Amino acid sequence: MGSCIICGKSVEGRICDLHEEDALFEFRGSRADQLSVDRYYRGSVDGFAEFGVFVDIGDSVTGLLHRSELDQRLDSLDWEPGDTVYVQVKNVRDNGNVDLGWSIRQSEREFRGILVDDPEIGYSVLLENEDDEEDEKAASESTADESTNQSDDESSAGDDSGASQSDSESSTSAGAVSQASDADRVEGTASVGGNDSGSNTAVMTESDEEADAESEASQSDETTTDEPVAAAIGDLDDHVGADVRLEGEVVGIRQTSGPTVFELQDETGTVDCAAFVEAGVRAYPEVEEDDYVRLSGDVRERRGELQVETEELDVLEAEERAEVEQRLADALDNEARPDTAEPLADDTAVAPLSDDLVEAATQIRKAVLTDRPVIVRHANTADGYLAGSALERAALPLVTEQHRRADAKYHYFDRRPIEGGVYDMDDATKDTTTMLDNRERHEEKLPLFVFVAAGGTRESLDGFDLLNVYGAPSVVIDDIDVDGAVIDTVDAVVSPSADAVTETTSTALAANVAAHVNEDVRDDLQHLPAVSFWEDIPEPYVEAASEAGYDETAVSELREAVALEAHYQSYEDKRELITDLVFGDDEEDVGGLAGHIAEQFREKVDEEVSTARANLDHRTVGDVDIAVLDTDAFTHQYEFPPESLLLDELHRDVRDESDAVLGISTDTMYVRANGELDLHELVSEVSERVPEGGVATRSVREGTIRYLAGERPAVLEATLDVLADEL
């Protein structure tokens, strides 16, 4: 036994458990595996990455402080390489990677002491006593050598003296063993036994032996008769001090400098289960994350938290695993499935989709409850941004409630705009790379991907297939008639029937899903569907917006403001400005903000439409008038408005005089028509007429076709003919 070098309490070591949490350590080792998990270390900033900060611990070890561990946004840090920071070692992986946590104490004076963590010494010393400790160690070694020599000289002394000394040592040793055993029982681990005792065997009387035998028999009887009580994790408060048997899923494993800690989850909660072999050695190495197990152990309360001291741990296989897995899955579904909510308004396009709305909401709620990040991939349009904002509004309070961390809303929920509403291989590859990196480095679960105003056509199948290779779940919410192949590929779909496609928007669908995800935000969502309609707003949504305080002018200004910001945030979405516009959280005069941005929108669009209209080439095919615009020659490339939005506005402006509008550039064509048009059939027919044109659908949502630049004249003529036949 020794004394804690901070408070003086008797401990087995140099510092007590309580004050190890209050102490700052200075690392003198050379390998990651010499670090102690849960200790706080002094480090220095080494560099930055998209996912966090690299911090040097000592001279030879570098760890990652992931952005999710920070108490502020990564891009708001004012750190420079070499700056001193204070971090906690959360985990040391088998591959040498070190996961760091953020310490709320960021100055030395906030710690109770500074200690040297030097593996060569084998224990920690106060930094201010380091020199004295080394001198003491050297002196101790010298004294030990002298003692050994003296012992050798005295070994030839008389037998009586030796016997007397041996008896005295035996008595002392027996007392020490008894004390150590008692201490170990209090700590829940055993450290005495199995050693060669030599002459240190205690002398016991016959009556002592009988008493011990009686005690052992009694303990044996208790062991054989007292079976662990089957319990649920949520009920462990009622079983403190008792042996219990638990069944559940291992959702986390961490190796500390002492026991291995298994994080066990069942349908009622999660608890840490500590298993000890010897200090720093992995217990039950055959158990892995995602295993379903049966665990027996003693329920203890440590530092205000319940913990199970594991006595037995078995991995469940076959039918036993399937039974527990199904039980947990059913319980999670029941918890995540929302109560049936009323739609936001009396919308005939939404009413038949009640079951689909509930299923999509269940998937999102389930992801939040199981610490699975939610990634919303939405079109970079006003409809896409409004729909994504509706889901964000509903999910963020649940994320914050689930995690209780200031940065959780940035870590467990993200919105990423997507061009043209198509989830292509470029997008899928970036998402897959990011999610696999987060899983490898930080043991994150693969995210749930929610596609809004995007992903509903077959052009996205390659992207979905890549996600499915790794088992990442996905949901599609789209106002088009979603392709059957997509429905078979994803986990849930919200899509109107074919005859109701023109009567709704993705925002109307997503806002209704959001109301199911979180009933508390229903009032915040009332105006969003109306904002998403460029014209012919259904009367129920007009009334809902009016009740929320948005008249016709406010609705129009908000739509145009969001459309402008959607263009400028297409490749790097920032939620704050859109949130201010859509919900007015941080802006007293939100109407003024939306009105100001809408004014810019209208000026830019009106100027471009006026220029484009003056340069339309009207082509008559049969009785059909088709207006053709050379977008290379008569639009500003990469500036607002983008071609898709410009063609929408132009078509609305000239549809009374033209049956269709074509915007044609070097290798892309935009099609807008007055009647219903099957773009896939149109492309198939044009491709047959121009077989060497490389004609293919780019985005059904945007009405875009791609072809080879050298075949542009032939593709245009074929498109005019086919379009005239279709119309």
Side-chain angles (χ1 to χ4, degrees):
M1 297 288 288
S3 299
C4 174
I5 55 183
I6 291 182
C7 67
K9 176 184 176 182
S10 294
V11 292
E12 292 186 12
R14 306 292 292 179
I15 185 170
C16 66
D17 290 343
L18 177 61
H19 287 108
E20 181 159 322
E21 293 183 348
D22 295 331
L24 174 67
F25 288 84
E26 187 171 290
F27 185 57
R28 299 289 177 83
S30 59
R31 303 191 315 272
D33 60 5
Q34 294 173 327
L35 290 165
S36 295
V37 174
D38 293 335
R39 281 184 176 176
Y40 292 90
Y41 287 91
R42 189 206 325 265
S44 62
V45 176
D46 179 64
F48 295 84
E50 180 183 351
F51 41 78
V53 184
F54 290 105
V55 177
D56 291 334
I57 308 295
D59 297 329
S60 306
V61 176
T62 300
L64 175 65
L65 180 62
H66 191 260
R67 64 185 181 188
S68 64
E69 295 289 342
L70 296 169
D71 65 348
Q72 57 185 299
R73 295 286 297 274
L74 183 62
D75 54 13
S76 68
L77 292 176
D78 59 357
W79 294 346
E80 298 290 338
D83 285 354
T84 298
V85 293
Y86 303 90
V87 293
Q88 184 183 31
V89 172
K90 307 285 286 187
N91 190 24
V92 179
R93 302 178 185 275
D94 294 340
N95 61 6
N97 288 345
V98 180
D99 297 334
L100 302 176
W102 173 250
S103 170
I104 61 173
R105 293 171 288 194
Q106 284 297 308
S107 67
E108 291 182 1
R109 66 176 180 273
E110 295 177 351
F111 292 90
R112 294 285 297 273
I114 306 173
L115 296 92
V116 175
D117 185 353
D118 189 344
E120 295 298 324
I121 297 177
Y123 51 84
S124 302
V125 301
L126 281 169
L127 183 62
E128 60 195 56
N129 297 336
E130 183 179 11
D131 294 338
D132 295 340
E133 191 77 22
E134 291 179 354
D135 292 343
E136 181 182 333
K137 180 181 178 184
S140 175
E141 291 173 349
S142 174
T143 302
D145 291 341
E146 292 176 4
S147 176
T148 300
N149 293 336
Q150 182 178 357
S151 176
D152 290 342
D153 292 340
E154 293 176 352
S155 62
S156 58
D159 293 340
D160 293 342
S161 174
S164 175
Q165 183 176 358
S166 176
D167 290 344
S168 175
E169 290 177 351
S170 296
S171 176
T172 301
S173 176
V177 169
S178 176
Q179 292 175 7
S181 298
D182 290 342
D184 289 335
R185 282 193 293 272
V186 171
E187 292 301 317
T189 60
S191 60
V192 179
N195 298 324
D196 294 335
S197 57
S199 62
N200 288 336
T201 303
V203 178
M204 302 178 66
T205 65
E206 187 174 348
S207 60
D208 289 337
E209 291 176 350
E210 291 174 355
D212 280 357
E214 248 180 66
S215 175
E216 289 177 6
S218 175
Q219 292 176 4
S220 176
D221 289 343
E222 290 177 6
T223 301
T224 56
T225 58
D226 293 343
E227 290 293 327
V229 177
I233 291 174
D235 298 330
L236 290 184
D237 281 330
D238 300 330
H239 297 282
V240 175
D243 286 335
V244 297
R245 183 175 67 252
L246 306 173
E247 291 180 340
E249 180 185 6
V250 176
V251 295
I253 302 173
R254 63 182 187 274
Q255 182 61 54
T256 71
S257 55
T260 305
V261 179
F262 298 93
E263 188 178 359
L264 187 67
Q265 183 179 76
D266 70 2
E267 64 270 34
T268 64
T270 304
V271 68
D272 282 346
C273 303
F276 187 82
V277 179
E278 59 180 281
V281 175
R282 172 75 145 82
Y284 301 101
E286 72 280 5
V287 178
E288 300 177 352
E289 283 191 31
D290 301 325
D291 277 346
Y292 286 80
V293 301
R294 179 177 294 117
L295 182 148
S296 300
D298 186 21
V299 182
R300 300 292 182 91
E301 186 172 355
R302 298 194 181 281
R303 299 169 189 162
E305 298 289 338
L306 291 181
Q307 178 176 294
V308 178
E309 305 294 340
T310 305
E311 297 170 0
E312 187 175 355
L313 180 60
D314 297 311
V315 177
L316 300 178
E317 304 288 352
E319 293 182 1
E320 287 187 318
R321 174 191 170 104
E323 181 182 345
V324 175
E325 188 173 6
Q326 188 60 51
R327 190 179 77 226
L328 267 62
D330 291 343
L332 179 59
D333 276 340
N334 289 335
E335 182 180 4
R337 189 166 296 277
D339 296 331
T340 302
E342 292 294 323
L344 291 175
D346 186 15
D347 185 349
T348 56
V350 171
L353 305 177
S354 178
D355 291 344
D356 296 337
L357 297 174
V358 169
E359 182 57 34
T362 300
Q363 293 290 333
I364 295 171
R365 288 169 56 87
K366 188 187 301 184
V368 174
L369 291 172
T370 57
D371 301 336
R372 187 186 297 278
V374 177
I375 308 297
V376 175
R377 300 303 309 262
H378 59 78
N380 59 341
T381 61
D383 191 24
Y385 269 85
L386 290 165
S389 296
L391 295 176
E392 180 179 80
R393 192 68 167 183
L396 288 187
L398 303 183
V399 169
T400 302
E401 180 182 342
Q402 178 75 7
H403 296 282
R404 303 289 184 183
R405 285 169 41 177
D407 65 341
K409 62 182 181 181
Y410 295 103
H411 182 57
Y412 288 99
F413 189 97
D414 195 13
R415 284 196 290 107
R416 300 174 188 170
I418 185 173
E419 186 176 3
V422 175
Y423 190 60
D424 58 22
M425 282 297 293
D426 183 44
D427 295 308
T429 300
K430 291 177 181 177
D431 284 343
T432 302
T433 300
T434 301
M435 75 180 186
L436 293 179
D437 182 66
N438 287 339
R439 183 176 70 174
E440 175 65 22
R441 288 177 174 270
H442 317 295
E443 299 181 348
E444 280 187 3
K445 292 184 177 180
L446 299 181
L448 167 68
F449 289 92
V450 182
F451 296 89
V452 186
T457 63
R458 66 191 69 168
E459 289 78 29
S460 297
L461 285 174
D462 288 343
F464 289 140
D465 286 341
L466 183 57
L467 292 182
N468 288 338
V469 167
Y470 294 96
S474 54
V475 173
V476 171
I477 304 172
D478 207 341
D479 62 355
I480 66 172
D481 184 15
V482 172
D483 194 291
V486 172
I487 295 175
D488 294 338
T489 302
V490 301
D491 295 274
V493 171
V494 178
S495 167
S497 59
D499 58 355
V501 165
T502 59
E503 300 174 7
T504 190
T505 63
S506 293
T507 299
L509 299 176
N512 278 282
V513 171
H516 286 69
V517 171
N518 187 351
E519 177 72 15
D520 293 341
V521 302
R522 167 180 289 270
D523 290 344
D524 297 343
L525 308 173
Q526 293 288 341
H527 64 295
L528 294 188
V531 176
S532 64
F533 286 86
W534 284 95
E535 56 185 352
D536 300 329
I537 305 173
E539 189 59 33
Y541 287 132
V542 173
E543 294 175 0
S546 178
E547 291 175 4
Y550 290 79
D551 60 17
E552 183 179 352
T553 299
V555 166
S556 177
E557 288 180 344
L558 182 53
R559 178 191 311 117
E560 293 173 352
V562 172
L564 183 68
E565 291 306 321
H567 171 74
Y568 289 116
Q569 293 192 9
S570 291
Y571 301 103
E572 187 178 354
D573 182 46
K574 300 294 183 183
R575 64 176 53 152
E576 288 79 7
L577 178 56
I578 294 294
T579 299
D580 281 352
L581 279 173
V582 175
F583 301 110
D585 286 348
D586 301 310
E587 182 71 35
E588 292 183 3
D589 186 12
V590 179
L593 176 63
H596 174 70
I597 298 176
E599 185 177 348
Q600 298 178 38
F601 170 94
R602 187 46 56 193
E603 288 177 358
K604 293 176 181 293
V605 169
D606 287 349
E607 180 181 355
E608 288 292 310
V609 169
S610 176
T611 301
R613 185 182 178 105
N615 290 282
L616 285 176
D617 177 18
H618 288 270
R619 307 284 292 270
T620 302
V621 183
D623 295 330
V624 177
D625 181 88
I626 302 174
V628 180
L629 176 69
D630 187 334
T631 57
D632 281 339
F634 298 108
T635 64
H636 293 97
Q637 197 172 20
Y638 306 122
E639 292 186 9
F640 188 84
E643 289 91 341
S644 179
L645 193 150
L646 173 61
L647 267 294
D648 286 340
E649 287 282 326
L650 187 60
H651 177 237
R652 282 192 284 267
D653 192 54
V654 303
R655 63 188 170 191
D656 290 339
E657 57 196 75
S658 296
D659 299 292
V661 175
L662 291 184
I664 185 163
S665 65
T666 303
D667 62 357
T668 304
M669 184 184 300
Y670 299 84
V671 182
R672 301 291 185 269
N674 292 350
E676 292 185 12
L677 183 68
D678 188 326
L679 196 66
H680 287 121
E681 288 187 9
L682 174 69
V683 167
S684 176
E685 184 67 26
V686 172
S687 181
E688 287 184 12
R689 299 190 183 196
V690 191
E692 297 181 355
V695 183
T697 306
R698 176 178 176 268
S699 170
V700 170
R701 290 193 58 84
E702 284 195 328
T704 53
I705 303 170
R706 279 186 174 166
Y707 47 84
L708 298 179
E711 296 290 339
R712 170 175 164 167
V715 171
L716 174 59
E717 293 302 322
T719 303
L720 291 171
D721 290 340
V722 173
L723 189 56
D725 291 341
E726 292 287 334
L727 296 177

